[in-house]
Amino acid sequence: MSKNYVLVINPGSTSTKVALFKESENVIQKNLTHSIEKLEKYDKIADQFEMRKEIIIDWLKEEGYTSEDLIAVVGRGGLLRPMPGGTYEVTPKMIDDLKLGVQGEHASNLGGIIAKSIADEQNIPSFIVDPVAVDEFEEIARISGIPEIKRKSLGHALNIKAVGRRVATKLGEDFEDINMIVAHLGGGISVAPLKRGKSVDYNNANEMGPFSPERTGGLPVGDLAKMCFSGKYTYKEIKSKLKGKGGLVGYLNTNDAREVTKRINEGDEKAKLIFEAMGYQIAKEIGSMATVLNGDVKTIVITGGLAYSEYLIDYIKDMVDFIAPVAVEPGEDEMKALNEGALRVINAEEKAKIYEEEVAF
């Protein structure tokens, strides 16, 4: 076989998604699951590295491939130090930070570690692309209103950047030459103003912005403080309300937009009010982010799983299309986005960034 495949690795908490791409074609993909019993043997997530790597190599062999068929390996970026977006070469210092969990332990930290290990054996490049740690905030966006707390750049950077690039190409524009707003609508919701390709602001999907299928988004802080000190709830219970049992789950006991739409079609007025309220808050956040770009917005892009809901999208469009034309790119394809990032470097469309040169130590 010719040496022209890119191996894409996307570790999750109990599984590892893997795919082989030949240029832009997804040749084969699988979700390799890991039993809870097996994972419990490891004290730290980084300790799972060898086990997950072996399973990936075995999968390649089962499908009739080996690491000798690869031209590059790209992994999901983890919780590294705050860094600009882009495709990064995996370097020793990055590996150190991924193993350490410099911003926290997360399965995605394994992406770069496994990618480099497989790639180094074949003397081919390894990359990560637009990790969660991407931070391109302008300094003014970090101010929260209370000195002890800074607004943080945490959002769905990989999908937001990938979809932004695709839409810019469709418009015949260079991604780095135009402004757009990208709203990622998933279990959490991130709305990002992209100023010439850079995400200069975000709502942290876990803590701010619109409520989502499972999260509360921003809340009236006085009432939240009262709940926290009421004695009725533990810290764990409050955290669960904010993420997991908030949003649609809290009001309607489901996180499935299809189920909510079905209820609306059957005449459920409460479901209609709550679903439209979510759309209202999303549209309001888009409008807010338009001001960050001084109204200079080429397009508004809506992506993520909720973008499949025509009911929701139509509601949002009615509120925001006076700002700019709305493009809808439903779903989220992280494997495709990771491969695209690697290909931009392989095809010399952009230069790989070096972690040590881009972050503060």
Side-chain angles (χ1 to χ4, degrees), residues 144-319:
S144 70
I146 180 170
E148 293 86 350
I149 299 173
K150 273 190 175 182
R151 293 184 71 243
K152 295 177 183 177
S153 176
L154 291 171
H156 301 85
L158 180 63
N159 189 49
I160 282 172
K161 293 260 191 172
V163 169
R165 287 180 183 278
R166 288 176 210 148
V167 171
T169 299
K170 288 178 182 179
L171 294 173
E173 301 278 1
D174 190 313
F175 179 59
E176 280 81 18
D177 286 344
I178 62 172
N179 296 340
M180 64 174 70
I181 298 166
V182 183
H184 174 100
L185 313 184
I189 291 173
S190 296
V191 181
L194 301 185
K195 183 184 287 187
R196 291 172 168 74
K198 291 187 176 182
S199 48
V200 295
D201 202 338
Y202 259 130
N203 66 281
N204 181 336
N206 287 337
E207 300 173 358
M208 299 185 298
F211 73 79
S212 72
E214 299 177 346
R215 305 177 197 180
T216 64
L219 293 170
V221 293
D223 290 335
L224 178 60
K226 286 178 184 176
M227 282 185 70
C228 292
F229 289 93
S230 67
K232 296 179 181 178
Y233 309 98
T234 64
Y235 175 65
K236 186 176 179 181
E237 286 169 337
I238 289 289
K239 281 188 72 175
S240 177
K241 276 185 171 291
L242 296 176
K243 182 184 177 185
K245 295 181 180 178
L248 295 184
V249 172
Y251 286 105
L252 302 174
N253 204 32
T254 181
N255 63 1
D256 190 336
R258 293 165 299 185
E259 167 65 22
V260 178
T261 304
K262 179 173 176 286
R263 292 188 201 175
I264 293 170
N265 291 336
E266 291 171 352
D268 187 330
E269 288 299 319
K270 181 180 178 182
K272 181 174 185 290
L273 174 64
I274 300 304
F275 204 49
E276 290 183 356
M278 186 171 69
Y280 173 88
Q281 290 194 8
I282 294 166
K284 195 163 66 166
E285 191 75 12
I286 290 170
S288 172
M289 293 306 183
T291 67
V292 173
L293 300 172
N294 297 101
D296 178 13
V297 183
K298 183 74 176 181
T299 184
I300 296 165
V301 186
I302 303 177
T303 184
L306 285 174
Y308 285 110
S309 170
E310 289 185 16
Y311 188 103
L312 183 67
I313 295 305
D314 287 346
Y315 188 91
I316 295 169
K317 276 184 176 179
D318 283 346
M319 289 184 67

